[in-house]
Amino acid sequence: MPNANIVAILVLMGSIGVGLLMTMALGSPVPVIVSAVVGVIAMRAPRIARQWDRAIVLRLGRYHAMRGPGLFWVVPFIDIVGSWIDQRTITTSFAAEQTLSSDTVPVNVDAVLFWMVHDPQKAALEVQNYAQAVSWASQTALRDIIGRTPLIELLRGRERIETELQTLIDQRSNPWGVTVQSVEMRDVVIPAALQDAMSREAQAAREKQARVILAGAEVEIAQSFEMAARSYRDNPTALHLRAMNMLYEGLKEKGALMLVPSSAVESMGLGGMLGAAALRQDRLTGGTGETKVE
């Protein structure tokens, strides 16, 4: 690290300076040589850890202390910095390719893991490479969950699967001093042939639902007609008014063809009205209008 090198150079220059002063005082070059040797050794003592780093110090091969952030000192040739542990949040992407779901469908799943080291001592001492271990643990956990989950739940229940995946990875990585903050599934890819089959299935389901809705509407219309027939049966005046309204609405359309039952003409006395309406319609349409009574 550049900052640590600057501190080491300052230590060496200070040691040499002290040697020169002693040489001037004693008149012998030995203090300069001794001071230079001591300075070179002392150059290995200062270390600087960045704000997000923690240094694991080993003394004679055994764990001694955790240092940082900032400036700290080690004993040269006795202490070594075994590991530098980054305590920031780390993102790791992992995937499970061609993994069979519980209903034997091959899928490719991509996900992202957000994790951090909460115990630098365990991360340095309990596992050889904690970052690689977390990555492998994530892949095996993802394959495990896919293997016991049907395809439809992989596509629809992502939040539940992400929570379950986070819990499983956290259980495996906690002994290493690592905690999982969240897991996000980016994509679930299924074979193209299966995509086509699922698309056709979804289209058939929508068509079936449309037919069911249409049939329900027909039933409601029939029930409404039945209720209207009962009302008109007991109230002929209302039936006449409804018939006149239907004639009016029909004659408003240019070039309309109307079929009126003969019984309605006789019972409601619509002969004169139909004649007048037909004559007016004929004038409006230039002779193309037609009113037919059967």
Side-chain angles (χ1 to χ4, degrees):
M1 295 182 182
N3 293 335
N5 293 334
I6 292 175
V7 174
I9 292 173
L10 292 177
V11 170
L12 177 61
M13 292 177 63
S15 178
I16 294 175
V18 172
L20 290 174
L21 292 177
M22 294 180 63
T23 299
M24 293 174 62
L26 300 177
S28 174
V30 175
V32 176
I33 298 174
V34 173
S35 298
V37 172
V38 172
V40 171
I41 296 175
M43 286 179 63
R44 302 174 58 89
R47 296 287 191 275
I48 294 179
R50 293 171 294 186
Q51 180 65 37
W52 53 85
D53 283 336
R54 299 296 181 271
I56 303 300
V57 179
L58 303 180
R59 176 164 292 176
L60 298 177
R62 299 175 63 88
Y63 174 76
H64 173 62
M66 180 176 65
R67 297 287 186 260
L71 177 66
F72 63 96
W73 302 82
V74 297
V75 179
F77 304 110
I78 296 178
D79 294 345
I80 62 171
V81 178
S83 301
W84 294 91
I85 306 299
D86 191 337
Q87 284 201 295
R88 293 175 294 182
T89 299
I90 302 173
T91 58
T92 300
S93 60
F94 59 100
E97 298 181 356
Q98 296 298 319
T99 304
L100 293 178
S101 62
S102 63
D103 47 358
T104 64
V105 177
V107 296
N108 298 337
V109 180
D110 294 331
V112 178
L113 179 69
F114 297 86
W115 58 280
M116 66 174 297
V117 178
H118 69 87
D119 191 336
Q121 180 180 346
K122 288 184 178 181
L125 303 180
E126 299 297 332
V127 63
Q128 182 180 11
N129 187 333
Y130 64 91
Q132 185 177 8
V134 169
S135 177
W136 283 113
S138 303
Q139 291 186 19
T140 55
L142 180 59
R143 290 180 177 270
D144 184 19
I145 291 179
I146 293 175
R148 48 190 170 89
T149 305
L151 177 62
I152 193 66
E153 292 189 15
L154 285 175
L155 297 175
R156 295 182 178 178
R158 288 196 176 190
E159 293 184 359
R160 183 190 63 80
I161 295 175
E162 289 173 353
T163 302
E164 185 178 355
L165 188 59
Q166 177 181 349
T167 302
L168 185 58
I169 300 175
D170 204 38
Q171 290 175 352
R172 295 181 180 180
S173 59
N174 252 321
W176 308 330
V178 173
T179 182
V180 177
Q181 296 176 327
S182 65
V183 180
E184 295 183 5
M185 295 175 60
R186 294 189 298 181
D187 195 12
V188 179
V189 181
I190 60 178
L194 183 58
Q195 292 182 21
D196 295 338
M198 293 179 66
S199 176
R200 291 194 298 270
E201 180 182 358
Q203 183 177 358
R206 287 193 294 268
E207 290 180 357
K208 176 183 176 181
Q209 184 66 21
R211 291 178 180 272
V212 170
I213 294 174
L214 180 60
E218 292 290 345
V219 171
E220 293 181 2
I221 292 172
Q223 292 175 351
S224 299
F225 279 146
E226 182 182 1
M227 295 175 60
R230 292 176 184 175
S231 300
Y232 292 145
R233 181 184 59 188
D234 300 330
N235 193 344
T237 304
L239 178 60
H240 293 172
L241 292 174
R242 176 58 179 158
M244 294 174 65
N245 183 67
M246 292 174 62
L247 287 173
Y248 172 74
E249 294 293 335
L251 292 174
K252 286 195 306 182
E253 297 295 334
K254 186 175 181 180
L257 173 63
M258 298 191 62
L259 300 177
V260 182
S262 58
S263 58
V265 176
E266 295 173 358
S267 62
M268 294 183 287
L270 297 178
M273 182 186 300
L274 287 174
L279 179 60
R280 183 174 183 276
Q281 181 72 11
D282 185 68
R283 291 176 179 175
L284 291 175
T285 60
T288 59
E290 181 181 357
T291 301
K292 184 177 181 181
V293 179
E294 295 183 351

